[in-house]
Amino acid sequence: MVDSQNAEDSIACFSPGLAGIPVAESAVSYVDGKKGYLEYRGIDIEQLAEKSSFEESSYLLLYGELPTAKELKAFDEKLKHHRRIKFRIRDMMKCFPESAHPMDSLQATVAALGMFYPFPTNLEGELDKETIDSVCVNLISKMPTLVAAHARMRHGDDPIAPRDDLSHAANFYYMLTGDEPYPLTERILDVAFIVHAEHEMNASTFSALVTASTHADPYTSISAAIGALSGPLHGGANEDVLHMLDEIGSVDNVEDYFNRKLAKREKFAGLGHRVYKTKDPRATLLQKLYVELTEKVGVDTTYEIARQIEKLSRSTLGAKGVCPNVDFYSGIVYRKMGIPTDLFTPIFAIARVSGWLAHWKEQLGQGRIYRPSQIYTGKYGQSYVPVEER
Ligand SMILES: CC(=O)SCCNC(=O)CCNC(=O)[C@H](O)C(C)(C)COP(=O)(O)OP(=O)(O)OC[C@H]1O[C@@H](n2cnc3c(N)ncnc32)[C@H](O)[C@@H]1OP(=O)(O)O
Ligand SMILES: O=C([O-])CC(=O)C(=O)O
């Protein structure tokens, strides 16, 4: 029986990729895609990049206001206290194939964390603040440790234990390399974390919220978000940008490569965005960080190739609003710090977990289960045919 009224309602609202369809009310962040402007809790991302730290910006996202000095100290201490991971999680990682992508490892280990920190799944009643806070702190604290431990163990190196005298950014760099970063490296990594921390209703945040709307536990929800972030149309694009720049190899090859790809109507990694129709403000900030990082040594070929692509895209794709997004310049910054290409998206996840959790907290106890509709395009009323008659 066809419910034609139902089908018509669905058709009236159908928007491929949910483009332009609001799926939640949220006060976490605001994007003006025409102006290329982004705010976390009403504060411009440029100000946060210049003046804040990842720890402080995470507090802002989670609690809605900038912390007082006392609140920030307490939050920072909690983050430092929870950096260690269980030895069983480390042992589990040792069993992953050496070739495993670090995003797959991260997704699996975050899901596994949920087994060690059970969370009430019946969310009908009030959840106490401490339970919610401890989940947020645990995940933000442990994600860098999970990424660094896997990155080392896949090469047969021992993981490096976290240090509680280092900032979130410096400690991650230390656990990855065994060295404390120079102050400029620490600052640049910190700013990269800040600008990646949140971006309203993107695909990974939506995945987290869809999963959480079933009252699945937050570790499962964040694991779902990590899976969505890994795709090359989303966070995975930062890795693909570097593959593209490496493939081009020299500034002389850019024009030919660009025109060939354009003629085939292929997409360029790191360009285009559902919301921004101008250059993503985070791309501008990351580009500045790269220039700052290379001030003494000068920019390298990879950056020159990227700039040339940006220039060519302006005259060919600019009218469509296809411009550099956050993923276009981030990898160039990380490579300059000596970070392997397949860790670029995990670094995005280390930062974005604060935004995912801010949305998870906001939705707790108020969201309905996400259950959209579909437009059925199949057959109706078919008779079953026994196998011998087919
Ligand atoms: C953190 C992030 O997730 S930022 C985004 C990271 N992703 C990437 O960099 C991957 C490359 N970019 C893309 O694939 C897309 O721009 C997305 C996925 C980001 C956005 O997709 P949508 O909003 O669905 O845009 P859609 O794919 O419909 O593109 C609209 C038009 O711009 C063109 N376009 C979009 N992105 C690109 C690109 N990277 N290169 C060339 N053309 C592009 C499309 O071909 C399309 O043109 P048409 O109207 O002539 O057919
Ligand atoms: O908003 C989006 O669709 C993607 C994005 O830029 C992000 O998640 O940072």
Side-chain angles (χ1 to χ4, degrees):
M1 188 68 178
V2 185
D3 180 350
S4 59
Q5 184 56 50
N6 225 344
E8 273 171 31
D9 287 349
S10 305
I11 290 165
C13 306
F14 179 51
S15 170
L18 292 175
I21 308 283
V23 294
E25 290 183 314
S26 175
V28 181
S29 66
Y30 169 75
V31 179
D32 184 328
K34 282 202 192 100
K35 291 195 186 130
Y37 184 70
L38 167 63
E39 286 180 350
Y40 294 172
R41 300 284 189 185
I43 304 179
D44 174 11
I45 191 69
E46 275 192 36
Q47 284 190 49
L48 292 169
E50 190 192 329
K51 298 177 182 152
S52 187
S53 63
F54 174 72
E55 291 85 331
E56 187 184 56
S57 295
S58 296
Y59 185 102
L60 172 70
L61 290 168
L62 291 171
Y63 300 102
E65 300 286 347
L66 285 170
T68 61
K70 196 172 155 209
E71 285 165 339
L72 180 58
K73 186 166 179 280
F75 183 62
D76 189 37
E77 274 166 12
K78 274 194 226 159
L79 286 178
K80 285 177 169 152
H81 188 73
H82 290 277
R83 284 177 177 166
R84 285 171 186 271
I85 52 173
K86 307 259 183 204
F87 74 86
R88 285 197 177 85
I89 296 278
R90 281 205 308 270
D91 287 352
M92 183 179 113
M93 271 190 250
K94 280 186 196 151
C95 302
F96 295 166
E98 299 84 17
S99 57
H101 193 284
M103 281 299 273
D104 293 333
S105 162
L106 185 62
Q107 186 180 22
T109 48
V110 164
L113 280 184
M115 291 187 258
F116 293 92
Y117 306 97
F119 189 80
T121 47
N122 179 359
L123 302 183
E124 297 305 340
E126 274 283 288
L127 267 176
D128 63 291
K129 188 178 168 304
E130 276 88 272
T131 307
I132 298 169
D133 285 354
S134 70
V135 166
C136 296
V137 163
N138 209 24
L139 274 159
I140 298 170
S141 301
K142 286 183 171 48
M143 295 252 303
T145 318
L146 294 174
V147 172
H150 177 255
R152 293 186 66 85
M153 287 195 292
R154 65 179 168 165
H155 300 303
D157 293 328
D158 286 331
I160 296 175
R163 273 176 43 187
D164 61 11
D165 59 330
L166 296 175
S167 70
H168 201 71
N171 176 59
F172 171 62
Y173 186 92
Y174 167 73
M175 290 189 297
L176 195 61
T177 63
D179 298 320
E180 281 181 40
Y182 291 116
L184 180 63
T185 310
E186 175 181 358
R187 176 68 194 146
I188 284 175
L189 195 51
D190 191 35
V191 176
F193 283 167
I194 295 170
V195 304
H196 282 90
E198 158 62 10
H199 209 253
E200 51 124 290
M201 202 45 65
N202 59 83
S204 54
T205 300
F206 184 48
S207 302
L209 294 185
V210 170
T211 310
S213 81
T214 70
H215 294 187
D217 76 81
Y219 295 90
T220 303
S221 303
I222 298 304
S223 167
I226 294 168
L229 187 72
S230 70
L233 296 190
H234 192 13
N238 61 7
E239 183 178 332
D240 276 2
V241 169
L242 264 290
H243 293 316
M244 174 175 77
L245 302 179
D246 289 341
E247 190 189 333
I248 297 172
S250 108
V251 178
D252 294 342
N253 298 337
V254 178
E255 201 160 341
D256 183 49
Y257 177 95
F258 188 90
N259 289 335
R260 268 190 291 120
K261 219 169 155 69
L262 195 67
K264 287 194 264 173
R265 299 184 64 83
E266 285 175 4
K267 285 189 173 173
F268 297 87
L271 298 184
H273 198 279
R274 176 63 62 77
V275 184
Y276 292 118
K277 296 304 159 203
T278 184
K279 189 166 175 178
D280 184 329
R282 301 165 299 172
T284 308
L285 284 165
L286 287 157
Q287 192 175 357
K288 278 194 199 141
L289 290 185
Y290 175 83
V291 173
E292 213 182 311
L293 193 60
T294 54
E295 210 161 33
K296 293 211 174 75
V297 287
V299 299
D300 54 27
T301 309
T302 320
Y303 178 73
E304 295 292 9
I305 297 171
R307 287 232 309 160
Q308 192 61 18
I309 291 190
E310 180 178 355
K311 195 170 150 208
L312 291 170
S313 71
R314 215 174 293 137
S315 51
T316 49
L317 297 165
K320 278 193 214 173
V322 176
C323 304
N325 60 51
V326 68
D327 291 326
F328 196 67
Y329 285 110
S330 60
I332 302 178
V333 175
Y334 303 143
R335 178 168 288 179
K336 204 72 204 163
M337 293 177 177
I339 296 175
T341 310
D342 63 2
L343 293 187
F344 298 172
T345 319
I347 291 176
F348 193 152
I350 287 174
R352 182 55 59 86
V353 71
S354 297
W356 291 330
L357 289 164
H359 285 272
W360 168 75
K361 258 186 85 174
E362 189 178 50
Q363 181 186 270
L364 262 184
Q366 39 167 299
R368 268 178 104 184
I369 188 167
Y370 278 104
R371 203 310 185 183
S373 56
Q374 63 164 12
I375 296 166
Y376 179 64
T377 59
K379 299 171 181 170
Y380 295 98
Q382 299 292 294
S383 298
Y384 176 80
V385 181
V387 70
E388 58 280 5
E389 291 174 29
R390 283 176 231 156

